[in-house]
Amino acid sequence: MTTYDERASLVDLTTTAERVHRSVEGVIEGKPEVVRLALTVLLAEGHLLIEDVPGVGKTMLAKALARSIDCSVRRIQFTPDLLPSDITGVSIFDQQRRDFEFKPGAIFAQIVIGDEINRASPKTQSALLESMEERQVTMDGQTYELPSPFMVVATQNPVEMEGTYPLPEAQRDRFMARVSIGYPSPAAELQMLDVHGGASPLDTLRPVADAQDIVALIDAVRTVHVAEAVRRYAVDLVAATRSHAELRLGASPRATLHLLRAAKAAAALGGREYALPDDVQSLAVPVLAHRLLPSSQAQLNRRTAEQIVLEILHRTPVPDPSARQWPPDTDRQPPGVRGL
């Protein structure tokens, strides 16, 4: 049974998350929902794919999140000539020791920014598969653990197809969520001219949390309660993608797990120790859509994966809120709990 003191600690941790949220939002004007999703993925131990047209702030979002946390950060500019060893590392023969020494690559950081990931060859892209799923690198029979927390934030442009290699399904499936920033509103763009006109706000951005804070937040997310009805709801949503007539590839079991973890992180950011069906609904599109492959007929009808996920959300029965199965042990929240 969860004690009152344990629940109160969640209030302190959401304060840390709020500081990070405000720090990033100070750089990315007018996009609070995008910043919240990036923070949700971080606390759910996932990876984020930012896909949008050039110039809307994809790399700026990744850098702002990285600089708001006092963690090790590495940026990888993906190019066609990038080699797998540039990412994972390489073993070099040491003349003095008469033995091979492993030199870690750019993946050995807590926040890894992969800029324009689809410009690298499939061979180089595959170097990320083990790191993103198992949080380790295997080289010459030796396994090297990656630091904690560990998050890959990758960007790609969907409209520049020359010299690019589309991400394979296995790569896309390892990203917990995909987000599109979109164009800012006129008011936000006007504010951007005032803030970014003289100098980049990244130059003055300072860390507001450290790696230990993020690890503590991640531990708090793991303790969030998910009732059986909510778990079954997530399973029903994912199962519906596998039998939908307009999809030739549905979501994987990994997608179900990612959806559940993201829902728990969203609940923690909302100051709750239990997840609701609303948490699952709000994350279904960013977590599931990029994993789906519409059929040829759906593409002819200009149906997108996002539209199909919204249709599935509309058709799938939501657990009855009157049953009150998700709040564990008590109907009260501790004082001071509030969302971001």
Side-chain angles (χ1 to χ4, degrees):
M1 179 176 176
T2 304
T3 67
Y4 189 81
D5 290 339
E6 289 172 334
R7 293 172 58 191
S9 66
L10 184 61
V11 182
D12 301 328
L13 293 176
T14 52
T15 303
T16 303
E18 185 176 1
R19 291 202 307 268
V20 177
H21 185 278
R22 270 188 277 180
S23 176
V24 179
E25 196 175 3
V27 177
I28 307 297
E29 291 86 3
K31 298 294 179 179
E33 68 285 350
V34 174
V35 177
R36 183 182 179 89
L37 179 60
L39 189 56
T40 299
V41 173
L42 172 64
L43 300 186
E45 300 180 272
H47 309 289
L48 183 65
L49 178 62
I50 308 173
E51 181 179 287
D52 215 323
V53 296
V56 295
K58 299 187 299 296
T59 306
M60 185 77 72
L61 172 61
K63 286 184 175 181
L65 179 62
R67 293 194 183 186
S68 298
I69 306 168
D70 190 13
C71 295
S72 58
V73 181
R74 298 291 293 272
R75 181 178 182 272
I76 308 173
Q77 180 64 55
F78 282 80
T79 57
D81 60 347
L82 190 72
L83 298 176
S85 58
D86 296 328
I87 297 176
T88 59
V90 63
S91 294
I92 301 177
F93 188 74
D94 190 330
Q95 294 285 354
Q96 294 181 344
R97 297 173 54 238
R98 307 297 295 175
D99 195 5
F100 284 93
E101 180 182 1
F102 178 68
K103 298 292 185 181
I107 199 65
F108 284 85
Q110 291 167 314
I111 304 293
V112 178
I113 303 173
D115 202 11
E116 298 196 59
I117 187 175
N118 56 336
R119 291 202 177 276
S121 66
K123 181 179 180 181
T124 302
Q125 290 181 16
S126 65
L128 290 169
L129 296 179
E130 180 186 12
S131 303
M132 294 176 66
E133 179 63 20
E134 302 176 46
R135 300 174 185 270
Q136 66 181 28
V137 170
T138 302
M139 181 67 63
D140 298 330
Q142 294 290 327
T143 299
Y144 305 91
E145 299 291 332
L146 293 174
S148 181
F150 174 69
M151 181 184 185
V152 174
V153 183
T155 70
Q156 69 171 357
N157 299 326
V159 295
E160 293 182 306
M161 292 296 114
E162 292 88 359
T164 63
Y165 303 86
L167 297 183
E169 286 75 14
Q171 183 75 60
R172 293 204 310 269
D173 196 44
R174 279 165 168 78
F175 285 102
M176 176 172 284
R178 179 185 64 182
V179 63
S180 295
I181 297 178
Y183 292 114
S185 64
E189 194 163 5
L190 186 61
Q191 183 181 2
M192 180 196 70
L193 295 179
D194 294 333
V195 175
H196 296 250
S200 173
L202 286 174
D203 297 337
T204 58
L205 198 62
R206 295 293 180 267
V208 295
D210 57 27
Q212 291 182 345
D213 294 331
I214 300 303
V215 170
L217 284 167
I218 291 173
D219 290 339
V221 167
R222 290 173 179 170
T223 64
V224 171
H225 174 76
V226 184
E228 182 180 356
V230 181
R231 295 197 303 268
R232 187 175 297 277
Y233 180 55
V235 170
D236 290 343
L237 289 175
V238 175
T241 67
R242 301 168 188 164
S243 58
H244 199 282
E246 293 183 292
L247 294 175
R248 57 189 177 93
L249 178 65
S252 66
R254 184 190 286 121
T256 313
L257 183 61
H258 283 179
L259 183 59
L260 187 67
R261 288 178 178 174
K264 293 171 69 172
L269 288 174
R272 283 179 280 107
E273 60 172 3
Y274 52 87
L276 295 172
D278 290 349
D279 299 318
V280 177
Q281 285 182 328
S282 64
L283 292 162
V285 171
V287 172
L288 299 180
H290 66 285
R291 310 168 193 263
L292 308 179
L293 290 181
S295 64
S296 301
Q297 186 62 41
Q299 293 177 9
L300 288 174
N301 295 333
R302 298 183 181 276
R303 292 270 286 169
T304 65
E306 289 79 3
Q307 291 173 334
I308 296 174
V309 173
L310 290 174
E311 177 188 312
I312 291 174
L313 283 171
H314 181 71
R315 292 182 177 181
T316 305
V318 181
D320 184 7
S322 63
R324 298 188 64 79
Q325 298 174 356
W326 27 89
D329 302 327
T330 180
D331 295 334
R332 294 192 303 135
Q333 285 189 349
V337 171
R338 60 192 178 92
L340 295 182

